[in-house]
Amino acid sequence: MDTFNGRTAVITGGASGIGLAAAREFAGRGARIMLSDIDSAALDRAVADLRADGVDARGVVCDVRKFDDVNRLADEAFDVFGDVHLVFNNAGIAYAGPIAETSHDDWRFVIDVDLWGPIHGVEAFLPRLIAQEADSHIAFTSSFAGLIPNVGLGPYCVAKYGVVALAETLSREVRANGIGVTVLCPMIVDTNLLANTERVRSEDYGPATASGADSVQQLASDPSDDSVLNVDEVARLTADAIEANRLYVLPHRAARGSIRRRFERIDRTFDDQSAAGWTH
């Protein structure tokens, strides 16, 4: 998808943060916007603001944990706009705490939103994008914690690693269908993750046993990097990556050293095994 002009973009978690900034950026490049969010009041405000700026925008309340909700979002997007060219699986929550202190309900909460949400997005939209036979794109918001393990972010890392794996595998499988894939992996971004996490966690998960988003924002970063990127900067870089059909969006240069060291450690394992006499 080499242009947003005249295209339809669907964005989950679109009422605030990266999702809303992306909506503004995509619309500024000519896209029609279908926003979704679990917070109906915030969603209404976001859609109203976009329309006030002349954007062709609609909103659908959607809980990405529920496949029926995401499928209904897809129905609505295609019914209203006739076609969809970009699906940005952006909705997510934050969680911080040692694995030993993480409850079963905490695990369910993080996985349901941060991993099942994107999976539901693929399930609901991918068959329709393939059938549409037009250039299109699927994007995901993961995290630096989806590339590098962070102490104190076990469940969050598991979910975000899963999102990266989903994007990487999908990119290979749908290339022949003319569908591009992009995954955003930022460090610290100026978003209110804590408020988002608190409003999404429902009673069936019980009370949280860990600290939440403030700690995630600090832990999901390199110790040498104290920069906080503005959501508009991240949205602009993400839109550029989609137009260029780049798989990864890595907004923070400080991530580069940690990513390199991780794969160097993996590669050294072959030498260590050979030194120990392993010949296969």
Side-chain angles (χ1 to χ4, degrees):
M1 198 185 90
D2 58 2
T3 181
F4 286 88
N5 191 38
R7 304 297 181 91
T8 300
V10 178
I11 305 170
T12 66
S16 63
I18 291 173
L20 183 54
R24 294 193 184 103
E25 182 66 32
F26 300 165
R29 301 186 187 207
R32 304 180 295 264
I33 304 295
M34 176 67 80
L35 282 188
S36 78
D37 202 277
I38 196 172
D39 187 331
S40 59
L43 180 63
D44 289 343
R45 289 192 297 271
V47 171
D49 288 346
L50 289 171
R51 288 179 174 173
D53 291 333
V55 178
D56 187 357
R58 312 294 175 88
V60 175
V61 176
C62 176
D63 183 345
V64 297
R65 294 171 294 183
K66 302 174 181 178
F67 176 66
D68 287 347
D69 271 25
V70 183
N71 204 44
R72 180 171 52 82
L73 171 63
D75 288 340
E76 187 74 11
F78 279 94
D79 287 347
V80 169
F81 291 113
D83 49 22
V84 170
H85 304 93
L86 169 62
V87 181
F88 188 12
N89 298 282
N90 167 72
I93 54 90
Y95 179 90
I99 290 175
E101 298 174 12
T102 301
S103 72
H104 181 71
D105 285 339
D106 292 334
W107 276 103
R108 286 198 306 118
F109 178 47
V110 178
I111 299 298
D112 282 353
V113 179
D114 285 351
L115 185 53
W116 271 113
I119 291 170
H120 289 156
V122 172
E123 288 183 305
F125 282 93
L126 181 59
R128 307 181 202 217
L129 296 182
I130 292 173
Q132 190 172 256
E133 296 185 341
D135 288 346
S136 55
H137 211 95
I138 300 176
F140 304 89
T141 295
S142 180
S143 169
F144 176 67
L147 297 169
I148 302 298
N150 284 253
V151 173
L153 292 181
Y156 187 72
C157 285
V158 169
K160 293 300 188 178
Y161 263 69
V163 174
V164 172
L166 175 60
E168 290 175 332
T169 305
L170 189 64
S171 70
R172 296 186 177 192
E173 294 185 352
V174 299
R175 188 177 298 122
N177 300 103
I179 300 173
V181 178
T182 293
V183 58
L184 168 63
C185 300
M187 287 181 169
I188 304 176
V189 181
D190 185 16
T191 63
N192 194 357
L193 274 176
L194 181 57
N196 184 59
T197 298
E198 290 175 344
R199 68 186 171 91
V200 169
R201 185 165 182 138
S202 52
E203 292 181 358
D204 56 312
Y205 294 108
T209 58
S211 57
D214 285 345
S215 296
V216 172
Q217 288 283 48
Q218 296 303 318
L219 289 169
S221 63
D222 187 279
S224 65
D225 178 46
D226 60 358
S227 64
V228 178
L229 288 185
N230 181 275
V231 288
D232 294 332
E233 296 177 295
V234 174
R236 184 168 58 254
L237 185 60
T238 302
D240 288 346
I242 291 169
E243 287 185 331
N245 196 27
R246 287 195 293 270
L247 176 56
Y248 305 102
V249 184
L250 302 169
H252 292 80
R253 289 187 178 274
R256 190 170 191 174
S258 295
I259 292 169
R260 181 186 294 115
R261 288 190 293 273
R262 175 176 185 249
F263 286 98
E264 286 174 347
R265 286 194 299 271
I266 293 171
D267 185 66
R268 280 199 304 273
T269 300
F270 293 102
D271 295 332
D272 294 343
Q273 291 174 167
S274 295
W278 185 256
T279 59
H280 293 277

